[in-house]
Amino acid sequence: MKSFSKKLLIFAAVMAVVAGVGWFGRKAYKKTMERRLVAQSREYIAKKDFHHASLSLQRALEMNPVSVSASEAMADLLDNAESPAALNWRMRAAKLDPKNTSKRFQWAELAIKANDLASATEALDGAEEGARNTAVYHKLKGALAWSQHNAVSANEEYLAAARLEPQNLAIQINLATIGLASTNPAVEQAARASLQQIAT
């Protein structure tokens, strides 16, 4: 009887190991396939083959509906295809990976381009404290303020960005553009002179 119990315990232990190996093996296979499909989709996107890129990403998302890399690749695909749905996927990728500042900034940038200012505000308001002291953050805040017709706030944000990136000509052009729209003749004249200096 003892021999039978011992054999039963060994059999149960072996079955548990087999089940564990099967479960982990399946998980590893799905992860590998997901990575391969996302990489494949990026190759298709580079070739502007949006149909096959979409098929690869659909399969990747079937395997893992909360895949950050597949969500980001889908956003890239739709952005390349100039689809308005790209914004939802940028937002999704950022929310699935909340500590990744660059994804949040990509979301904000696309939202500003799409004139979805509420979405852009949400993206930037959720940025971590460390990310708020970067030129990218201030440039996006400046672009958002300008889109909201708030020239004073836009000017402040671009000045903050210029302090962090003093050699960035795009920031200088944005500041000059804000100055050109000023009702103060002295500010407008200074902005015009600044643009001429940039052009030379």
Side-chain angles (χ1 to χ4, degrees), residues 42 58 72 75 99-100 103 117 119-120 122 124 131 152 173:
R42 292 209 172 278
Q58 283 171 26
E72 186 175 27
K99 297 210 180 282
N100 189 315
K103 286 185 177 62
L117 306 185
S119 183
E122 183 187 350
L124 292 172
V152 173
I173 291 168

Side-chain angles (χ1 to χ4, degrees), residues 38-162:
V38 171
Q40 193 178 64
S41 76
R42 292 209 172 278
E43 288 174 16
Y44 285 131
I45 292 169
K47 294 174 186 172
K48 302 286 185 192
D49 184 349
F50 300 145
H51 174 70
H52 285 101
S54 176
L55 292 175
S56 296
L57 289 172
Q58 283 171 26
R59 286 183 60 205
L61 287 161
E62 281 168 13
M63 289 185 165
N64 181 9
V66 292
S67 168
V68 175
S69 58
S71 297
E72 186 175 27
M74 185 64 87
D76 291 341
L77 165 64
L78 293 167
D79 207 357
N80 272 276
E82 297 181 358
S83 167
L87 180 56
N88 288 332
W89 285 95
R90 284 273 177 245
M91 187 189 308
R92 178 185 169 89
K95 288 186 175 182
L96 286 171
D97 191 7
K99 297 210 180 282
N100 189 315
T101 302
S102 64
K103 286 185 177 62
R104 189 165 281 279
F105 287 168
Q106 286 176 326
W107 164 19
E109 184 178 6
L110 189 57
I112 292 165
K113 282 182 188 172
N115 204 36
D116 189 340
L117 306 185
S119 183
T121 302
E122 183 187 350
L124 292 172
D125 284 353
E128 293 184 341
E129 201 59 44
R132 294 177 185 231
N133 193 32
T134 62
V136 178
Y137 175 81
H138 288 295
K139 283 187 281 187
L140 288 167
K141 285 286 282 185
L144 175 59
W146 185 248
S147 297
Q148 293 168 327
H149 310 291
N150 186 341
V152 173
S153 182
N155 193 62
E156 286 173 3
E157 294 295 345
Y158 281 122
L159 282 172

